[in-house]
Amino acid sequence: MEAHSHAVPPADGTPLGSLPVEPLLTAEFDVDPGAVYERLRDTYGPVAPVGLMGVPVWLVLGYTEVTEVLRNEGLWRRDIRYWRARAEGRLPRDWPLLAGYEVRQMMFMDDEEHLGSRRTHHSALSPFQDARSPEGWEVRAAVARYADELVRMLAAESGTVGFADLGAQYTRPLLLMVTTQLFGCPVELGDALVMDLWRMLDGGPDSGPATARALGAFTRLAAHRRALPGDDLTSYMLLADPQLSDEQLGRELFMNAVYLNDITGNMVLNTLLEVLRGNAAVRRSLSAGQLGETVNRAALVNPPVANMCFRFAARDVRLGDVWVRAGDAVSPSAAAAHRDLLAIGSSHMVGSTVSTRAHLGWGAGPHQCPSAARELGGMIVSTAVGRVLDHFVRAELTLPSDQLPWRSGPVVRGLRLLPVRYELGAGVPASRRPDPTPENGGEMPVRGLLASLRRLMFGGR
């Protein structure tokens, strides 16, 4: 895309707010978002005006245009204060997404403020990313240990042959346990955190209050670890930037928890789904022992973030076939852009590795997930998927893949459940007694976390 730094939009160009837009989140989108992306592209080209819960935004569909938006921070801003409709008071006061965008944390910063926050994150995460460090070794061991315990409990409760939901009974509790361990949550705070993260991630009528409670819980965690530091991410972020207030650190932990649970969890489930439904490219990489490539190929088909967080145009600019005015909101669609990559990857003229290396599952450009976070997230996904493949000698979907229920919201498209009929191998991990939880940053007992999850999942709210 040419930047057009001195270009002037045509006088008769219709501004976004005056265009007739069709709502994006429809029954058709819930069932088949790919078909909606294709229809929008056929109608408008690589950038389309859509209505998002009553608010007009530009949806960026083309891979070239998406990557240009992601990579040009000077032109496409993350700070919500650039959003003209918000500044002019034209957003509905109760617009469901506004509260999340107004949590001021690294994702919604620009320039030096953003770079400073990234340095803090990278410094704090690096010990956990490095497999040779004590912290890195322990988090890897904890992920595998929690995964094995969840499989063992599945065997104890449902037998070595039976039915399971790999979302509710494996992936989601696993990621919540890892979060509690990594963040250094004491037991009494961990239970409350688990409950409100579920409410927050699932949305619904109580998601707003749950978000506020979760922010409060993370702020209390920041104060707790300031007083009693340990070998955990919260304490290491304070070491990296002692000037962080409890409220600032709480907001950063909130963002990390959302990504660790929702985004990483979606990547685990989407990878398992592609294996189970017989995606040929995914299974080829798996049979070759290339688990990382397996995850990449699944991320191409179903990226964990379908439509990325808004960027705001710093000035009038031509993008695709339209003029985007200064202050307009654009949503880069990784899911739509990946359709371009899949078409390229299927060409006999291009090697398939071109597309897998270019997936947008971790973002791109200055706001891409920090390298330490990508390495840590990739390890968690590969371990979670690998332990299922190690312990299950047979698994098949109990619903046709096109009938699986999805959370199909404005940002995330994730499975609500992944129901399977399974058979476990002879080497199911043996039961072990949960370790006691030391006050200074030890791991949370597996059974305590599962009890919290079950109180929520089975009606004990």
Side-chain angles (χ1 to χ4, degrees), residues 81-102:
R81 291 173 292 188
Y82 280 88
W83 195 358
R84 190 176 64 256
R86 175 180 176 270
E88 295 174 354
R90 291 189 284 107
L91 295 180
R93 184 169 299 179
D94 59 350
W95 193 59
L97 299 181
L98 188 58
Y101 274 99
E102 291 187 333

Side-chain angles (χ1 to χ4, degrees), residues 129-172:
Q129 175 264 330
D130 184 357
R132 297 167 295 182
S133 72
E135 298 90 345
W137 182 89
E138 174 53 33
V139 75
R140 283 160 174 75
V143 176
R145 186 166 61 246
Y146 290 147
D148 287 348
E149 182 71 4
L150 287 163
V151 174
R152 187 204 64 77
M153 295 190 73
L154 181 64
E157 294 175 356
S158 302
T160 57
V161 177
F163 298 88
D165 173 7
L166 292 181
Q169 293 175 269
Y170 180 74
T171 301
R172 293 178 188 125

Side-chain angles (χ1 to χ4, degrees), residues 29 37 107 171-172 175 201 258-271 273-274 294-309 332-336 338 356 358-364 369 374 377-378 381 406-415:
F29 186 81
Y37 297 140
M107 285 180 58
T171 301
R172 293 178 188 125
L175 269 297
L201 295 176
V258 170
Y259 263 74
L260 182 56
N261 285 272
D262 213 13
I263 309 310
T264 308
N266 284 341
M267 197 172 279
V268 172
L269 286 173
N270 292 350
T271 303
L273 171 61
E274 293 309 310
T294 301
V295 173
N296 284 345
R297 290 185 181 278
L300 269 174
V301 179
N302 279 311
V305 179
N307 299 313
M308 300 180 188
C309 292
S333 176
H338 281 188
T356 63
H359 81 75
L360 302 172
W362 304 113
C369 290
R374 295 197 304 273
V381 174
W406 292 83
R407 286 170 53 209
S408 192
V411 177
V412 169
R413 178 171 168 82
L415 284 166

Side-chain angles (χ1 to χ4, degrees), residues 27-28 33 47 94 139 142 212 234 249 261 267 270 272 275 281 330-331 347 349 358 427 459:
E28 179 189 5
V47 183
D94 59 350
V139 75
T234 307
L249 179 52
N261 285 272
M267 197 172 279
N270 292 350
L272 290 171
V275 173
V330 303
S331 176
S347 169
M349 296 184 293

Side-chain angles (χ1 to χ4, degrees), residues 52-110:
L52 195 57
M53 299 178 173
V55 171
V57 303
W58 296 108
L59 186 66
V60 189
L61 303 162
Y63 185 81
T64 299
E65 290 75 17
V66 166
T67 53
E68 287 292 343
V69 169
L70 297 179
R71 289 172 178 160
N72 192 338
E73 183 184 33
L75 181 55
W76 302 102
R77 312 296 278 170
R78 290 297 294 265
D79 193 325
I80 194 174
R81 291 173 292 188
Y82 280 88
W83 195 358
R84 190 176 64 256
R86 175 180 176 270
E88 295 174 354
R90 291 189 284 107
L91 295 180
R93 184 169 299 179
D94 59 350
W95 193 59
L97 299 181
L98 188 58
Y101 274 99
E102 291 187 333
V103 177
R104 188 156 185 79
Q105 35 80 6
M106 182 180 72
M107 285 180 58
F108 303 139
M109 298 173 181
D110 293 311

Side-chain angles (χ1 to χ4, degrees), residues 223-240:
H224 177 81
R225 283 298 167 218
R226 191 186 301 274
L228 292 169
D231 294 324
D232 52 72
L233 177 62
T234 307
S235 302
Y236 288 1
M237 288 191 71
L238 286 168
L239 280 175

